[in-house]
Amino acid sequence: MADELSRSGFIILLSLSDRPRHGLGVVEDIEERTLGAVKLGPGTLYGTLKRLVDLGLVRETDSPPDPANDDPRRRYYEVTPEGRRAVAEEAARMRQLVELAGAKQVLEA
């Protein structure tokens, strides 16, 4: 399934891998972790989330991770076991490519 992951799908799965989040929480997490290098607009975010849900890699949660800080309008998402496998497979594939790039001396020291 990992070969079906887009760049945005991969980074959304990474964001959700440590805990469930709502859409804006995903965007904020990604921007923070990439130091602003990756920004997802609403169309990309929600289009990709829908695709990930359709693929069975993400699901909506039944309850918010922090009920005291909940807004009933928010929809929360979490990674499924299949999503965890897919993101791990994609990360391993990327690691192999980075190792190849290093062996070919195309990475700056």
Side-chain angles (χ1 to χ4, degrees):
M1 180 100 32
D3 60 341
E4 298 181 31
L5 283 181
S6 63
R7 177 178 177 259
S8 59
F10 179 72
I11 60 176
I12 289 170
L13 284 173
L14 281 177
S15 176
L16 294 172
S17 67
D18 59 346
R19 67 183 179 91
R21 298 179 196 282
H22 56 83
L24 183 58
V26 170
V27 169
E28 290 171 347
D29 180 61
I30 290 168
E31 286 185 16
E32 179 182 318
R33 291 178 189 263
T34 64
L35 303 175
V38 177
K39 297 178 189 267
L40 294 179
T44 299
L45 173 69
Y46 290 107
T48 304
L49 277 170
K50 180 184 181 329
R51 183 167 181 263
L52 294 172
V53 168
D54 291 347
L55 290 170
L57 304 179
V58 168
R59 65 178 161 237
E60 282 191 51
T61 62
D62 292 333
S63 58
D66 182 7
N69 209 11
D70 183 35
D71 180 335
R73 297 171 292 180
R74 290 181 177 158
R75 295 165 79 173
Y76 292 86
Y77 301 90
E78 64 184 355
V79 177
T80 65
E82 181 63 29
R84 289 195 186 285
R85 281 190 294 277
V87 74
E89 288 171 9
E90 184 66 4
R93 185 189 71 79
M94 288 181 176
R95 179 181 5 190
Q96 185 178 31
L97 291 173
V98 170
E99 289 171 359
L100 176 60
K104 294 287 188 173
Q105 298 179 352
V106 299
L107 298 175
E108 293 181 23

